């Protein structure tokens, strides 16, 4: 009985997928038909030029900027991109948005280095290396143009150094400025960061010396505060609740666990010393996002005005807090005016 039911389920799921696929094909065909009915001769010429050079109708119709291009630039650009030996033109066509002189230069460069760049060109190299869609890579490279022009041997060497030192691949992709820095500087910073026993991030390898030194100092201070605990474990111990309670609160207020441990300690020390109970703090987790100086100033001010300095009051935004202060001032001066 189980086997027939399984086949029925598989058959049903295959039918659903087929319907979706056919629906997509029909929609695309309808879009193309509608386009051909309504387009002018200029748009029709550009559409046909793209199709002739290997672009899919879906790619063309989904990118309005194509129809704003000069027909000669469009035709010449597509011919240039063919020299990149694309697996399919849809992978590279977004590069047509670059100035023609730039595209000519990069086409020549791509041809010259095609034997040393894995996968034949930098778009496919980065797409394979970082597991990205070629179109996404094209946009990334157009934004960070040096990725097209930086000496490839140097660029690849930097990548290998980072990976060998366990730098997260996604962090590298998000901070590709690292490829602009010298190999010597990168190696030196990696050595320092390893000595400090810190997780290596690309920005740490390229930031100014004073920023790097302050970062290491803060990380070391945080390590002393946590004493091998996670931030959630630290808060749980200080507030005398199970760790799952902290996890639940952080799911509602994600910024809680993003606050540095040193700041958490400073705020907890202050609040507990001032008589606030753990339950008060747990019910107002946004208190950790305020500066210690703001909390101290507001606490003093509210007490001086005879108000009740609840954590909710301390955490009000500037406007509502000032309204509260004004009400307390009016209350205290009533009868004197």
């Amino acid at each position: 009985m189980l086997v027939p039911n399984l086949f029925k389920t598989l058959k049903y799921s295959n039918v659903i997928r087929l319907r979706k696929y056919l629906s997509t094909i029909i929609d695309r065909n309808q879009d193309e038909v509608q386009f051909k009915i309504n387009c002018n001769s200029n748009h029709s010429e550009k559409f046909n030029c793209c199709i002739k050079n290997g672009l899919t109708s879906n790619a063309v119709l989904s990118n309005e900027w194509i129809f704003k291009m000069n027909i000669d630039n469009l035709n010449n650009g597509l011919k240039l991109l063919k020299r990149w030996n694309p697996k399919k033109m849809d992978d590279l066509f977004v590069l047509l948005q670059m100035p023609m002189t730039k595209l000519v230069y990069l086409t020549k460069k791509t041809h010259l280095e095609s034997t040393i760049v894995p996968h034949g060109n930098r778009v496919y190299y980065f797409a394979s290396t970082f597991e990205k869609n070629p179109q996404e890579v094209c946009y990334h490279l157009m934004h960070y143009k040096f990725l097209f022009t930086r000496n490839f041997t140097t660029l690849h060497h930097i990548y290998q150094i980072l990976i060998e030192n366990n730098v997260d691949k996604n962090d590298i992709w998000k901070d590709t400025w690292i490829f602009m820095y010298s190999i010597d500087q990168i190696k030196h910073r990696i050595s320092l960061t390893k000595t400090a026993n810190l997780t290596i991030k690309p920005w740490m390898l390229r930031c100014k010396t004073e920023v790097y030194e302050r970062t290491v100092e803060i990380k070391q201070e945080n390590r002393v505060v946590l004493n091998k605990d996670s931030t959630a474990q630290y808060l749980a111990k200080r507030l005398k609740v199970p760790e799952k309670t902290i996890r639940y609160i952080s799911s509602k207020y994600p910024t809680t666990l993003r606050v540095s441990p040193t700041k958490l300690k400073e705020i907890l020390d202050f609040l507990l010393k001032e008589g606030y109970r753990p339950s008060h703090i747990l019910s107002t987790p946004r208190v950790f996002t305020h500066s210690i100086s703001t909390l101290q100033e507001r606490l003093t001010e509210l007490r001086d005005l005879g108000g009740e300095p609840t954590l909710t009051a301390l955490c009000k935004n500037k406007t509502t807090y000032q309204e509260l202060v004004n009400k307390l001032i009016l209350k205290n001066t009533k009868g004197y005016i």
Side-chain angles (χ1 to χ4, degrees), residues 10-192:
L10 289 173
K11 183 178 179 181
Y12 179 74
S13 63
N14 286 334
V15 169
I16 294 295
R17 281 197 292 270
L18 179 60
R19 284 178 180 172
K20 287 183 178 179
Y21 172 74
L22 291 175
S23 176
T24 303
I25 296 298
I26 291 170
D27 288 343
R28 288 177 182 174
N29 289 338
Q30 288 177 342
D31 287 342
E32 186 173 342
V33 170
Q34 197 66 32
F35 170 79
K36 288 180 177 179
I37 292 173
N38 297 323
C39 73
N40 56 40
S41 58
N42 180 273
H43 284 181
S44 179
E45 183 181 11
K46 292 174 182 176
F47 178 83
N48 291 331
C49 175
C50 290
I51 300 301
K52 180 182 176 182
N53 282 284
L55 275 177
T56 62
S57 59
N58 184 54
V60 180
L61 298 177
S62 300
N63 291 273
E64 188 179 339
W65 56 267
I66 289 176
F67 298 100
K68 296 178 181 178
M69 289 186 66
N70 174 281
I71 184 62
D72 291 331
N73 285 345
L74 177 61
N75 189 43
N76 291 333
L78 288 167
K79 287 179 179 177
L80 286 171
L81 289 179
K82 282 185 176 180
R83 297 182 187 178
W84 293 49
N85 296 318
K87 297 172 184 176
K88 53 183 180 179
M89 285 298 288
D90 283 16
D91 289 341
L92 305 181
F93 79 97
V94 296
L95 297 178
L96 292 170
Q97 295 174 88
M98 291 191 295
M100 185 55 61
T101 52
K102 185 74 173 179
L103 187 56
V104 170
Y105 166 74
L106 291 178
T107 300
K108 181 180 179 181
K109 183 174 179 62
T110 297
H111 175 70
L112 291 174
E113 65 182 18
S114 61
T115 56
I116 64 169
V117 177
H119 308 287
N121 63 60
R122 297 194 186 208
V123 173
Y124 287 140
Y125 165 76
F126 281 110
S128 174
T129 301
F130 292 100
E131 300 174 16
K132 301 293 180 181
N133 179 285
Q135 282 191 33
E136 180 185 349
V137 171
C138 286
Y139 280 113
H140 194 79
L141 268 59
M142 284 193 291
H143 184 74
Y144 300 100
K145 296 179 178 61
F146 61 85
L147 294 175
F148 268 132
T149 56
R150 184 82 157 110
N151 178 277
F152 181 77
T153 303
T154 302
L155 187 149
H156 185 59
H157 190 189
I158 290 172
Y159 174 76
Q160 288 180 317
I161 291 170
L162 296 174
I163 293 300
E164 286 168 5
N165 286 280
N166 300 314
V167 180
D168 187 89
K169 188 182 291 189
N170 290 324
D171 289 338
I172 301 172
W173 180 250
K174 292 174 185 176
D175 189 9
T176 45
W177 283 111
I178 189 63
F179 291 111
M180 283 293 287
Y181 289 77
S182 73
I183 289 174
D184 287 342
Q185 177 181 330
I186 291 170
K187 284 183 175 180
H188 178 63
R189 281 286 176 86
I190 286 175
S191 176
L192 291 176

Side-chain angles (χ1 to χ4, degrees), residues 291-303:
S291 70
I292 188 70
S293 59
T294 298
L295 295 173
Q296 289 171 332
E297 289 171 9
R298 289 185 173 187
L299 178 64
T300 301
E301 185 173 33
L302 291 177
R303 281 178 175 170

Side-chain angles (χ1 to χ4, degrees), residues 157-264:
H157 190 189
I158 290 172
Y159 174 76
Q160 288 180 317
I161 291 170
L162 296 174
I163 293 300
E164 286 168 5
N165 286 280
N166 300 314
V167 180
D168 187 89
K169 188 182 291 189
N170 290 324
D171 289 338
I172 301 172
W173 180 250
K174 292 174 185 176
D175 189 9
T176 45
W177 283 111
I178 189 63
F179 291 111
M180 283 293 287
Y181 289 77
S182 73
I183 289 174
D184 287 342
Q185 177 181 330
I186 291 170
K187 284 183 175 180
H188 178 63
R189 281 286 176 86
I190 286 175
S191 176
L192 291 176
T193 308
K194 279 187 169 181
T195 301
N197 195 25
L198 299 176
T199 301
I200 302 171
K201 299 289 184 180
W203 68 267
M204 296 170 68
L205 307 180
R206 63 179 185 81
C207 64
K208 293 181 179 179
T209 302
E210 54 268 29
V211 174
Y212 177 79
E213 290 175 349
R214 178 56 183 152
T215 298
V216 172
E217 183 182 346
I218 291 171
K219 296 283 187 182
Q220 299 289 19
E221 290 173 354
N222 289 341
R223 186 173 292 164
V224 170
V225 170
L226 294 178
N227 190 27
K228 296 184 179 180
D229 285 335
S230 67
T231 302
Q233 289 170 334
Y234 171 75
L235 284 173
K237 287 180 180 179
R238 290 295 307 269
L239 297 173
K240 300 176 182 177
V241 294
E243 185 183 343
K244 64 181 181 181
T245 301
I246 301 299
R247 294 291 179 189
Y248 174 77
I249 291 172
S250 67
S251 70
K252 302 295 181 182
Y253 299 91
T255 53
T256 305
L257 296 183
R258 295 179 196 151
V259 178
S260 73
T262 49
K263 182 180 178 182
L264 290 175

Side-chain angles (χ1 to χ4, degrees), residues 301-302 304-307 321-337:
E301 185 173 33
L302 291 177
D304 288 345
L305 291 171
Y321 175 75
Q322 193 56 51
E323 288 173 355
L324 173 62
V325 169
N326 291 340
K327 286 180 181 178
L328 290 172
I329 291 173
L330 285 174
K331 181 180 178 181
N332 289 331
T333 56
K334 191 175 182 180
Y336 287 91
I337 301 175

Side-chain angles (χ1 to χ4, degrees), residues 279-295:
S279 58
H280 295 149
I281 300 170
L282 289 166
S283 64
T284 320
R286 64 182 182 278
V287 70
F288 293 115
T289 62
H290 287 67
S291 70
I292 188 70
S293 59
T294 298
L295 295 173

